[in-house]
Amino acid sequence: MPGPVPGIPPSMPGGRPKTWMAEICPAMTSKGITPMSYDLIVIGTGPGGYVAAIRAAQLGLKTAVVEKRKAHGGTCLNVGCIPSKALLHASHMFEDAKHFADLGIGVSAPTLDLQKMQSFKQEGVDGNTKGVEFLLKKNKIDAFHGIARIAAVGQVEVTSEDGSNQLLETKNILIATGSDVTRLPGIEIDEKVVVSSTGALELESVPKHLVVIGAGVIGLELGSVWRRLGAEVTVVEYLDRILPGMDAEVAKNFQRILSKQGFAFKLGAKVTGIEKTGNGATLTYEPAAGGAAETIEADVVLVAVGRVPYTQGLGLDHLGVQLDNRGRVQTDEHFATNVTGIYAIGDVIAGPMLAHKAEDEGVAVAEIIAGKAGHVNYDVIPSVVYTFPEVASVGKTEEELKAAGIAYNVGKFPFTANGRAKVNRTTDGFVKILADAATDKVLGVHIIGPEAGNLIHEAAIAMEFGASSEDMARTCHAHPTLAEAVKEAALAVEKRAIHM
Ligand code: NAD
């Protein structure tokens, strides 16, 4: 990694004088010290940022990244998608092992070594973050560790942990700084008793009672982990449903499945406060529609009420970079902000806060900056809840089609009628296909079931190619596979499913 450039003074409160570069840089140049200069500097090496950097390097752009964490990979690899999937996998195996006897496999009851499970998780995280470091090096991308601030158009200042500063010059800047946990007013997250997703991945013992605030993706995934490991889990949700934004029928069925697994739900409940007690917390909530307050005792409270774009310290104010009414960096269809040479992608801009959406935007913006035609099809972005069974969806929900006044046909097929699911005894859930009533074009696919997160990609590819439900139904599917349920749901659009 290039070292600090001598002669660059540390940050001054309120920013450097505008003349700083003009005064200092020529002097530095005359001493043979020139600031590092790039075609593109990417701020943030989450899935959006590092992918953008790699694509830019592939296209011949001299590229650098700046990352404030020690390891690359952002929230997703360090404290999000990857560690949560490690714990979801391990806890699922733990729960599954209790049913081995049903398969004729004799093992004694599984025991839990949580510390070992946490190291298993960390090894997975380290393997992935090291992989990103390797890819950056392989693509000859300079990586700077420190906090980036956009000093001016074409200039990024990096403040390292030791307080030293470097000024980098660049033709283009990409903001890929991601998002941060949404906090509830008056509720302090100590990451021990009151935790965010980060703390919920690090618990040192299984809580007796975990109360989750928010029935979104994080609440249900991490709630699943701790329930499988032995916690009683209560989810308190402001709305009268779980998984807002998902197809309502899917959400309702999924809630039933989770309740069967032991989740308790308090819907239409607004959390008004948390008071820490000796070794836990008392949570107070009241009906969202108004009414008397109630309390619940918890050992650990997980606050999972969404995420907010992270723009802190970037200096966007003084550059005049426009934000929208939700604090997201405003961009046009080319990911350009209102300031020439500054682009943004991922959680920090509008759209679903999903790693793969950020990755696709990263590729597209790199191609645009390199003078090519990058694009993202926002109509076909899959989303997956990695519980068991999984919930996966792509395209429009029934509610969205109704709101848009689009007439549609529905084809549904339950996993209870799928041979492979039956033999595996994983029959909870169904596949649901929504197709345009006039053209039969597939507009949305929603799956609850085993492997839903993999199965959804058949639908995504079909939709990317503008397939009709008939196209999906005519495609030969291997037997016996879970994917046959997708084909049968496509047949069901025209009421001609075979196994139902
Ligand atoms: P979310 O937006 O998915 O869900 C938050 C939930 O909290 C909502 O249901 C909301 O109604 C509820 N809520 C808000 N304020 C409340 C209050 N005061 N009391 C009770 N309930 C309240 O947010 P999340 O689950 O925190 O996830 C954050 C982001 O990360 C999301 O955009 C999500 O898509 C993304 N994420 C995705 C995955 C995945 O794709 N598997 C996994 C984790 C996170």
Side-chain angles (χ1 to χ4, degrees):
M1 198 177 84
V5 177
I8 297 185
S11 276
M12 299 172 195
R16 292 210 172 91
K18 285 216 165 67
T19 52
W20 184 83
M21 273 303 287
E23 286 165 5
I24 305 291
C25 272
M28 284 167 54
T29 310
S30 70
K31 287 183 196 158
I33 306 163
T34 43
M36 304 288 291
S37 181
Y38 294 96
D39 293 318
L40 173 66
I41 292 180
V42 181
I43 305 176
T45 56
Y50 86 74
V51 167
I54 291 172
R55 184 69 188 122
Q58 284 175 345
L59 292 167
L61 302 184
K62 186 164 166 19
T63 305
V65 293
V66 186
E67 172 54 55
K68 73 178 160 85
R69 283 178 206 273
K70 285 199 172 69
H72 296 295
T75 300
C76 178
L77 270 68
N78 287 282
V79 290
C81 334
I82 293 297
S84 64
K85 261 78 264 175
L87 289 185
L88 278 159
H89 173 67
S91 61
H92 181 61
M93 303 288 277
F94 180 69
E95 186 159 67
D96 237 15
K98 294 178 188 163
H99 304 290
F100 279 0
D102 302 345
L103 282 64
I105 304 172
V107 287
S108 47
T111 57
L112 177 65
D113 179 345
L114 185 56
Q115 220 180 339
K116 185 87 203 286
M117 197 179 275
Q118 291 288 21
S119 333
F120 159 81
K121 174 201 77 182
Q122 198 51 44
E123 281 163 26
V125 169
D126 295 345
N128 276 280
T129 57
K130 286 205 175 80
V132 174
E133 196 178 323
F134 163 79
L135 290 172
L136 293 175
K137 278 193 189 130
K138 182 184 158 206
N139 285 281
K140 303 194 172 28
I141 295 162
D142 287 344
F144 296 85
H145 284 274
I147 295 182
R149 174 179 161 275
I150 306 175
V153 170
Q155 294 172 11
V156 175
E157 175 193 80
V158 184
T159 306
S160 306
E161 214 176 15
D162 64 6
S164 64
N165 285 293
Q166 294 175 80
L167 194 75
L168 310 173
E169 287 193 331
T170 179
K171 292 188 188 123
N172 300 286
I173 295 168
L174 175 61
I175 302 168
T177 44
S179 59
D180 193 11
V181 168
T182 299
R183 279 146 220 282
L184 286 172
I187 294 177
E188 190 215 338
I189 293 178
D190 62 11
E191 299 296 12
K192 293 277 176 228
V193 173
V194 182
V195 298
S196 69
S197 51
T198 304
L201 291 165
E202 294 290 333
L203 298 182
E204 287 165 6
S205 61
V206 179
K208 215 164 151 297
H209 188 196
L210 170 70
V211 174
V212 178
I213 310 178
V217 189
I218 292 181
L220 300 183
E221 287 186 354
L222 293 179
S224 289
V225 165
W226 295 107
R227 185 202 58 72
R228 293 169 189 169
L229 298 181
E232 183 194 336
V233 177
T234 305
V235 180
V236 183
E237 163 60 49
Y238 182 79
L239 300 175
D240 59 3
R241 55 163 292 172
I242 68 167
L243 291 178
M246 279 265 181
D247 187 272
E249 185 189 15
V250 168
K252 203 168 161 200
N253 274 274
F254 187 50
Q255 189 189 334
R256 208 161 31 222
I257 292 169
L258 290 177
S259 301
K260 226 166 56 184
Q261 293 176 1
F263 270 82
F265 289 98
K266 297 204 180 293
L267 302 184
K270 182 180 166 197
V271 174
T272 51
I274 298 177
E275 202 177 310
K276 279 205 237 162
T277 53
N279 45 8
T282 305
L283 180 133
T284 310
Y285 66 95
E286 52 192 51
E294 290 186 45
T295 58
I296 323 180
E297 299 301 319
D299 301 285
V300 173
V301 178
L302 163 59
V303 180
V305 295
R307 297 184 63 84
V308 282
Y310 189 80
T311 53
Q312 220 173 303
L314 285 173
L316 302 187
D317 267 8
H318 86 104
L319 290 159
V321 172
Q322 261 167 20
L323 304 184
D324 68 14
N325 57 359
R326 291 167 64 182
R328 302 174 295 198
V329 177
Q330 207 159 308
T331 52
D332 65 13
E333 67 277 17
H334 294 125
F335 309 102
T337 68
N338 61 313
V339 177
T340 308
I342 302 182
Y343 298 81
I345 55 161
D347 282 11
V348 84
I349 69 168
M353 288 181 161
L354 296 171
H356 44 282
K357 173 257 196 189
E359 287 181 43
D360 278 17
E361 289 179 342
V363 169
V365 75
E367 290 176 347
I368 289 166
I369 292 170
K372 297 186 175 300
H375 112 290
V376 175
N377 180 0
Y378 290 99
D379 288 334
V380 186
I381 296 193
S383 75
V384 180
V385 188
Y386 297 89
T387 43
F388 192 87
E390 290 180 340
V391 184
S393 140
V394 61
K396 300 278 186 262
T397 63
E398 278 203 63
E399 294 68 42
E400 284 169 334
L401 292 177
K402 278 183 191 139
I406 299 170
Y408 58 93
N409 292 323
V410 184
K412 249 170 63 179
F413 190 81
F415 280 102
T416 42
N418 172 271
R420 185 69 179 275
K422 267 167 106 94
V423 79
N424 288 353
R425 296 201 191 168
T426 52
T427 50
D428 275 339
F430 56 85
V431 179
K432 169 171 166 177
I433 296 184
L434 306 173
D436 191 298
T439 64
D440 192 35
K441 186 175 175 187
V442 177
L443 301 174
V445 178
H446 308 276
I447 307 176
I448 308 181
E451 298 288 331
N454 287 326
L455 295 175
I456 200 69
H457 293 92
E458 153 175 5
I461 296 267
M463 288 171 70
E464 191 66 46
F465 283 83
S468 62
S469 78
E470 187 183 343
D471 292 326
M472 292 180 76
R474 279 178 181 273
T475 305
C476 185
H477 284 62
H479 178 74
T481 58
L482 297 168
E484 286 174 289
V486 179
K487 176 183 168 139
E488 290 271 12
L491 285 165
V493 172
E494 290 187 348
K495 304 197 180 354
R496 56 193 182 99
I498 302 292
H499 293 90
M500 206 171 48

